[in-house]
Short mmCIF file of all heavy atoms in Angstrom, two decimals:
data_model
loop_
_atom_site.label_atom_id
_atom_site.label_comp_id
_atom_site.label_asym_id
_atom_site.label_seq_id
_atom_site.Cartn_x
_atom_site.Cartn_y
_atom_site.Cartn_z
N VAL A 18 94.08 217.70 -73.39
CA VAL A 18 95.19 217.50 -74.17
C VAL A 18 95.27 218.44 -75.51
O VAL A 18 94.40 218.28 -76.27
CB VAL A 18 95.45 216.11 -74.62
CG1 VAL A 18 96.73 215.93 -75.37
CG2 VAL A 18 95.48 215.13 -73.34
N GLN A 19 96.05 219.42 -75.58
CA GLN A 19 96.18 220.33 -76.65
C GLN A 19 94.80 220.93 -77.02
O GLN A 19 94.28 220.98 -78.03
CB GLN A 19 96.65 219.62 -77.92
CG GLN A 19 98.13 219.11 -77.73
CD GLN A 19 98.61 218.41 -78.95
OE1 GLN A 19 97.80 218.14 -79.93
NE2 GLN A 19 99.93 218.13 -79.03
N ALA A 20 94.16 221.46 -75.91
CA ALA A 20 92.85 222.14 -75.96
C ALA A 20 91.72 221.39 -76.38
O ALA A 20 90.71 221.72 -76.75
CB ALA A 20 92.94 223.36 -76.82
N GLU A 21 91.95 219.98 -76.48
CA GLU A 21 90.88 219.01 -76.82
C GLU A 21 90.45 218.20 -75.56
O GLU A 21 91.41 217.77 -74.89
CB GLU A 21 91.32 218.11 -78.00
CG GLU A 21 91.47 218.98 -79.32
CD GLU A 21 91.91 218.04 -80.44
OE1 GLU A 21 91.99 216.83 -80.16
OE2 GLU A 21 92.09 218.49 -81.57
N THR A 22 89.32 217.82 -75.36
CA THR A 22 88.88 217.04 -74.33
C THR A 22 88.96 215.55 -74.77
O THR A 22 88.40 215.19 -75.75
CB THR A 22 87.33 217.31 -73.93
OG1 THR A 22 87.33 218.70 -73.53
CG2 THR A 22 86.95 216.52 -72.76
N VAL A 23 89.64 214.81 -73.95
CA VAL A 23 89.90 213.39 -74.15
C VAL A 23 89.38 212.46 -73.05
O VAL A 23 89.60 212.84 -71.93
CB VAL A 23 91.43 213.02 -74.45
CG1 VAL A 23 91.66 211.58 -74.69
CG2 VAL A 23 92.03 213.93 -75.48
N THR A 24 88.71 211.40 -73.45
CA THR A 24 88.13 210.58 -72.42
C THR A 24 88.89 209.44 -72.28
O THR A 24 89.32 208.78 -73.18
CB THR A 24 86.66 210.11 -72.89
OG1 THR A 24 85.81 211.30 -73.10
CG2 THR A 24 85.99 209.40 -71.80
N HIS A 25 89.24 209.09 -70.93
CA HIS A 25 89.97 207.81 -70.66
C HIS A 25 89.08 206.98 -69.65
O HIS A 25 88.34 207.61 -68.85
CB HIS A 25 91.27 208.13 -69.96
CG HIS A 25 92.29 208.93 -70.84
ND1 HIS A 25 92.92 208.29 -71.78
CD2 HIS A 25 92.57 210.33 -70.93
CE1 HIS A 25 93.77 209.19 -72.45
NE2 HIS A 25 93.59 210.37 -71.94
N VAL A 26 89.12 205.75 -69.78
CA VAL A 26 88.30 204.86 -68.93
C VAL A 26 89.19 203.95 -68.20
O VAL A 26 90.06 203.28 -68.69
CB VAL A 26 87.33 204.06 -69.83
CG1 VAL A 26 86.50 203.05 -68.96
CG2 VAL A 26 86.35 204.88 -70.63
N THR A 27 89.06 203.86 -66.89
CA THR A 27 89.74 202.98 -66.01
C THR A 27 88.66 201.98 -65.50
O THR A 27 87.46 202.33 -65.33
CB THR A 27 90.39 203.70 -64.79
OG1 THR A 27 89.35 204.22 -63.95
CG2 THR A 27 91.30 204.70 -65.10
N ARG A 28 89.13 200.76 -65.39
CA ARG A 28 88.28 199.71 -65.05
C ARG A 28 88.87 198.73 -64.02
O ARG A 28 89.98 198.28 -64.20
CB ARG A 28 87.64 198.90 -66.13
CG ARG A 28 86.70 197.79 -65.93
CD ARG A 28 86.09 197.23 -67.11
NE ARG A 28 86.97 196.40 -67.90
CZ ARG A 28 86.60 195.55 -68.81
NH1 ARG A 28 85.25 195.41 -69.07
NH2 ARG A 28 87.40 194.79 -69.41
N GLN A 29 88.05 198.45 -62.99
CA GLN A 29 88.60 197.36 -61.95
C GLN A 29 87.66 196.14 -62.34
O GLN A 29 86.49 196.20 -62.36
CB GLN A 29 88.38 197.79 -60.51
CG GLN A 29 88.74 196.64 -59.61
CD GLN A 29 88.36 196.80 -58.20
OE1 GLN A 29 87.96 197.94 -57.85
NE2 GLN A 29 88.41 195.77 -57.44
N LEU A 30 88.34 195.04 -62.53
CA LEU A 30 87.50 193.76 -62.91
C LEU A 30 87.87 192.65 -61.87
O LEU A 30 89.06 192.32 -61.65
CB LEU A 30 87.94 193.31 -64.31
CG LEU A 30 87.35 191.92 -64.67
CD1 LEU A 30 85.89 192.12 -64.95
CD2 LEU A 30 88.06 191.43 -65.93
N THR A 31 86.89 192.20 -61.25
CA THR A 31 86.97 190.98 -60.37
C THR A 31 86.22 189.91 -60.99
O THR A 31 85.08 190.03 -61.28
CB THR A 31 86.44 191.37 -58.95
OG1 THR A 31 87.19 192.43 -58.41
CG2 THR A 31 86.63 190.06 -58.02
N ALA A 32 86.94 188.78 -61.16
CA ALA A 32 86.29 187.64 -61.84
C ALA A 32 86.65 186.37 -61.11
O ALA A 32 87.66 186.12 -60.62
CB ALA A 32 86.83 187.49 -63.34
N CYS A 33 85.58 185.49 -60.97
CA CYS A 33 85.76 184.20 -60.32
C CYS A 33 84.74 183.25 -61.01
O CYS A 33 83.74 183.68 -61.53
CB CYS A 33 85.55 184.29 -58.84
SG CYS A 33 83.80 184.62 -58.28
N GLN A 34 85.04 182.04 -60.93
CA GLN A 34 84.31 181.00 -61.64
C GLN A 34 84.20 179.72 -60.70
O GLN A 34 85.12 179.56 -59.98
CB GLN A 34 84.83 180.70 -63.09
CG GLN A 34 84.90 181.88 -63.90
CD GLN A 34 85.26 181.56 -65.35
OE1 GLN A 34 84.67 180.68 -65.93
NE2 GLN A 34 86.21 182.27 -65.87
N ASN A 35 83.14 178.86 -60.99
CA ASN A 35 83.00 177.74 -60.21
C ASN A 35 83.49 176.50 -60.95
O ASN A 35 83.11 175.37 -60.58
CB ASN A 35 81.55 177.51 -59.75
CG ASN A 35 80.57 177.39 -60.87
OD1 ASN A 35 80.93 177.45 -62.06
ND2 ASN A 35 79.31 177.13 -60.58
N ASN A 36 84.26 176.77 -62.05
CA ASN A 36 84.74 175.55 -62.81
C ASN A 36 86.14 175.21 -62.52
O ASN A 36 86.87 174.56 -63.39
CB ASN A 36 84.48 175.79 -64.26
CG ASN A 36 85.22 177.01 -64.76
OD1 ASN A 36 86.05 177.63 -64.09
ND2 ASN A 36 84.99 177.39 -66.00
N GLY A 37 86.71 175.77 -61.44
CA GLY A 37 88.21 175.57 -61.11
C GLY A 37 89.13 176.56 -61.70
O GLY A 37 90.32 176.48 -61.35
N THR A 38 88.67 177.49 -62.61
CA THR A 38 89.52 178.49 -63.13
C THR A 38 89.97 179.41 -62.01
O THR A 38 89.08 179.93 -61.20
CB THR A 38 88.94 179.19 -64.18
OG1 THR A 38 88.49 178.22 -65.27
CG2 THR A 38 89.79 180.18 -64.87
N LEU A 39 91.20 179.89 -61.98
CA LEU A 39 91.72 180.73 -60.97
C LEU A 39 91.01 182.18 -61.06
O LEU A 39 90.65 182.58 -62.06
CB LEU A 39 93.20 180.99 -61.09
CG LEU A 39 94.10 179.77 -60.83
CD1 LEU A 39 95.54 180.16 -61.15
CD2 LEU A 39 93.97 179.24 -59.46
N PRO A 40 90.73 182.75 -59.91
CA PRO A 40 90.07 183.99 -59.90
C PRO A 40 91.08 185.08 -60.36
O PRO A 40 92.27 185.00 -60.35
CB PRO A 40 89.62 184.28 -58.54
CG PRO A 40 90.59 183.46 -57.66
CD PRO A 40 90.96 182.21 -58.57
N GLU A 41 90.52 186.25 -60.75
CA GLU A 41 91.39 187.35 -61.13
C GLU A 41 90.83 188.74 -60.57
O GLU A 41 89.61 188.83 -60.35
CB GLU A 41 91.47 187.38 -62.65
CG GLU A 41 92.28 186.35 -63.36
CD GLU A 41 92.67 186.63 -64.70
OE1 GLU A 41 92.51 187.81 -65.06
OE2 GLU A 41 93.25 185.80 -65.31
N ASP A 42 91.70 189.55 -60.45
CA ASP A 42 91.41 190.89 -60.00
C ASP A 42 92.52 191.92 -60.64
O ASP A 42 93.60 191.83 -60.38
CB ASP A 42 91.41 191.13 -58.46
CG ASP A 42 90.89 192.49 -58.02
OD1 ASP A 42 91.40 193.50 -58.22
OD2 ASP A 42 89.66 192.43 -57.56
N ASP A 43 91.92 192.65 -61.68
CA ASP A 43 92.95 193.60 -62.42
C ASP A 43 92.36 194.93 -62.53
O ASP A 43 91.16 195.17 -62.53
CB ASP A 43 93.37 192.89 -63.66
CG ASP A 43 92.18 192.70 -64.73
OD1 ASP A 43 91.61 193.71 -64.94
OD2 ASP A 43 92.15 191.64 -65.25
#
Side-chain angles (χ1 to χ4, degrees):
V18 179
Q19 295 181 350
E21 294 182 0
T22 301
V23 179
T24 302
H25 297 283
V26 178
T27 63
R28 181 170 72 162
Q29 177 193 349
L30 174 71
T31 300
C33 65
Q34 305 189 42
N35 61 358
N36 59 8
T38 304
L39 295 176
E41 288 199 7
D42 192 284
D43 63 52

